[in-house]
Amino acid sequence: MRKGLIVLLSFVLGVFGLLAGCSDSSSGESKDGEVEISYGFWDKKQVPAIEEIIKQFNEEHPDIKVKTELIPYGQYFQKLETAATGGALPDVLWMNGPHIVQYAEGKVLLPLSDLAEKDDYSLDNYPESLIDLYTVNDEVYGIPKDYDTTGLWYNKKIFDEAGVPYPDDTWDWDMLKESAKKLTNKDKGVWGFAAVMGNQGGYYDLIWQNGGHVISEDGKSVGFDQPVAIEALKYNISFIEEGMSPTQAQMNETAASDLFSSGKIAMMFDGPWMVPEYKKNPDLDVAVLPKGKQRAVSIHGLSNVIAANTKHKEAAWEFVKFLGSKEAAEVFAETGTVIPAFNGTQDAWLNSVPELNLQAYIDGAEYSNPLPSVKNTGAIWQHETDILKKAWAGEESVEKVVKELADKANKELEE
């Protein structure tokens, strides 16, 4: 997101915050006691689980109708900005870590701490790191829904045909590179690895594995231009330069996940949200990420939040509580959709697709790094996309692009 858009968003959220502050958030119940609330989210793969959860919710709350609003992720936050301008946010919606500070401080979201305390709703049912992620200025704004780490997906058929052992927890960067080279078969149009330009489950993980950092502990600078980060980025891009990965242009034309699903890529990093798709192919399985100088993987989780100006505050809170319940977590777990955040329900997720080594994702949580979240995370991410793509395309050196990236990202942190 460019600086201009950030300024515009800040203005929009500020105006919206004033409007929200002027609204009567406790009103909106219809005379007959029935209300309709809207629920915004972006992942169509989770629709069956969400529909089942709404069905169960309505067994307890037949007077609250939930209307779903599926918005593709690529348009999600842009549409939220537009909706905020018109005071038309969904009553309940998904929120991610990179945006929570911006939206909470813009007073677009309803603080939930008092509601949870009033209803004796325990926040101890979720990993403390996720509660902390959605706590802004000592107020909890989101009830954790799920969490994810990263795994190394691989195609067993391609491995068997090349006579290469499957990846396991002994693999390191050298083994990944050596195996990718053996698995690449240009005659068959098969690449050994997909060097996707993504931060979570991509270069963030590699930077941490190499002993680097994304944002300093004091939040005042980024680490993209540090030698260990440069080395990690070069390692990732080297798969493209050496012909073991599709080029950036090829992965723009056809998503790496689609190339992997169709047997054109032997290995790639990906998250548990792809389990519903990848489990359809019996040749696929997943292992822990190879280690660099140390083991590291990114961790992130979504939460359900409530719009500050909802006219159905009580109904929205009842729905959010149910979405955060053990019952809802078990629905997500049993469908294999995501790793539920509710403590103790992860085993059901592991058993949902027993033919896959989903334990790799749970193991990753033990040495994970939370996805950085600052006020201008969205702007920094946009700089990463705009600038790093020049290195991925081979147009400019890694050293040159990370200097430009660090300069612009550090300015965002100063604001």
Side-chain angles (χ1 to χ4, degrees):
M1 186 179 295
R2 291 181 173 83
K3 182 177 179 181
L5 286 178
I6 287 296
V7 172
L8 175 60
L9 177 58
S10 300
F11 172 76
V12 167
L13 296 183
V15 171
F16 181 73
L18 291 174
L19 292 173
C22 295
S23 68
D24 178 4
S25 61
S26 64
S27 66
E29 302 294 334
S30 61
K31 292 182 180 179
D32 59 6
E34 294 185 356
V35 299
E36 179 179 285
I37 60 174
S38 53
Y39 182 38
F41 59 96
W42 62 69
D43 189 353
K44 67 179 181 181
K45 295 190 294 297
Q46 298 190 37
V47 168
I50 290 171
E51 289 178 343
E52 174 59 27
I53 289 169
I54 292 174
K55 179 183 176 183
Q56 292 187 16
F57 173 71
N58 283 144
E59 291 175 359
E60 296 182 13
H61 300 279
D63 56 339
I64 303 175
K65 182 179 179 181
V66 180
K67 178 183 178 182
T68 58
E69 295 183 5
L70 176 62
I71 307 169
Y73 182 75
Q75 306 167 22
Y76 189 78
F77 287 99
Q78 182 181 4
K79 290 203 170 186
L80 285 192
E81 293 174 28
T82 303
T85 306
L89 280 176
D91 297 286
V92 177
L93 60 151
W94 283 9
M95 181 55 60
N96 65 11
H99 288 87
I100 185 62
V101 175
Q102 189 177 18
Y103 279 76
E105 292 189 347
K107 301 189 183 303
V108 175
L109 305 179
L110 184 71
L112 305 180
S113 299
D114 289 346
L115 292 172
E117 183 176 357
K118 177 185 175 183
D119 288 359
D120 195 24
Y121 188 84
S122 178
L123 301 178
D124 294 334
N125 288 323
Y126 313 99
E128 184 176 359
S129 61
L130 294 182
I131 292 296
D132 290 344
L133 180 62
Y134 289 99
T135 299
V136 180
N137 298 328
D138 298 324
E139 287 278 5
V140 174
Y141 283 87
I143 300 301
K145 171 185 172 292
D146 55 46
Y147 76 84
D148 50 71
T149 61
T150 309
L152 174 64
W153 285 87
Y154 62 98
N155 186 309
K156 293 180 288 186
K157 183 179 180 181
I158 298 176
F159 271 71
D160 290 342
E161 290 176 350
V164 177
Y166 298 156
D168 57 28
D169 61 4
T170 66
W171 275 37
D172 57 15
W173 284 13
D174 290 339
M175 183 63 79
L176 178 65
K177 193 71 165 290
E178 180 183 333
S179 299
K181 187 174 183 179
K182 294 177 180 176
L183 293 163
T184 299
N185 188 327
K186 295 183 178 179
D187 292 337
K188 294 184 178 180
V190 173
W191 292 277
F193 181 68
V196 179
M197 194 193 80
N199 49 24
Q200 182 186 7
Y203 54 83
Y204 278 9
D205 301 54
L206 295 173
I207 289 172
W208 284 320
Q209 288 176 7
N210 211 33
H213 65 274
V214 177
I215 296 178
S216 60
E217 291 185 4
D218 62 9
K220 294 182 178 179
S221 63
V222 297
F224 297 119
D225 56 346
Q226 298 302 301
V228 289
I230 292 173
E231 185 178 30
L233 291 166
K234 281 188 169 182
Y235 171 76
N236 202 354
I237 295 171
S238 70
F239 287 90
I240 296 176
E241 294 174 335
E242 296 172 28
M244 291 178 271
S245 166
T247 65
Q248 183 65 19
Q250 290 170 320
M251 290 187 281
N252 286 340
E253 182 177 347
T254 304
S257 57
D258 291 338
L259 291 171
F260 178 66
S261 294
S262 62
K264 296 298 182 183
I265 290 174
M267 299 181 287
M268 69 176 294
F269 294 173
D270 220 331
W273 54 82
M274 291 303 296
V275 169
E277 182 65 27
Y278 291 160
K279 71 179 182 182
K280 299 175 184 175
N281 186 339
D283 293 329
L284 307 184
D285 204 348
V286 60
V288 296
L289 289 193
K291 61 185 177 183
K293 295 175 181 175
Q294 59 189 16
R295 285 206 175 280
V297 65
S298 57
I299 187 171
H300 179 245
L302 302 181
S303 73
N304 288 295
V305 301
I306 299 175
N309 74 330
T310 176
K311 294 181 179 179
H312 307 293
K313 175 181 170 182
E314 299 299 333
W317 173 235
E318 288 300 321
F319 185 50
V320 165
K321 285 193 295 183
F322 193 83
L323 288 169
S325 68
K326 182 180 180 182
E327 291 84 353
E330 287 177 341
V331 171
F332 280 119
E334 290 168 359
T335 57
T337 309
V338 294
I339 306 174
F342 195 97
N343 291 329
T345 60
Q346 289 82 25
D347 284 347
W349 181 72
L350 292 175
N351 295 328
S352 66
V353 193
E355 61 271 26
L356 293 176
N357 176 33
L358 299 182
Q359 183 65 39
Y361 287 111
I362 305 297
D363 291 347
E366 297 177 5
Y367 42 82
S368 60
N369 292 267
L371 211 58
S373 178
V374 294
K375 184 176 181 179
N376 289 343
T377 299
I380 294 173
W381 279 21
Q382 191 61 53
H383 289 315
E384 292 176 25
T385 300
D386 293 342
I387 296 170
L388 290 180
K389 67 181 182 183
K390 292 182 284 189
W392 250 261
E395 298 170 355
E396 295 184 6
S397 70
V398 171
E399 288 86 350
K400 184 176 181 179
V401 299
V402 295
K403 184 179 185 307
E404 179 185 0
L405 175 58
D407 288 344
K408 291 187 176 180
N410 287 335
K411 288 180 181 176
E412 297 291 349
L413 294 175
E414 292 174 358
E415 296 181 355

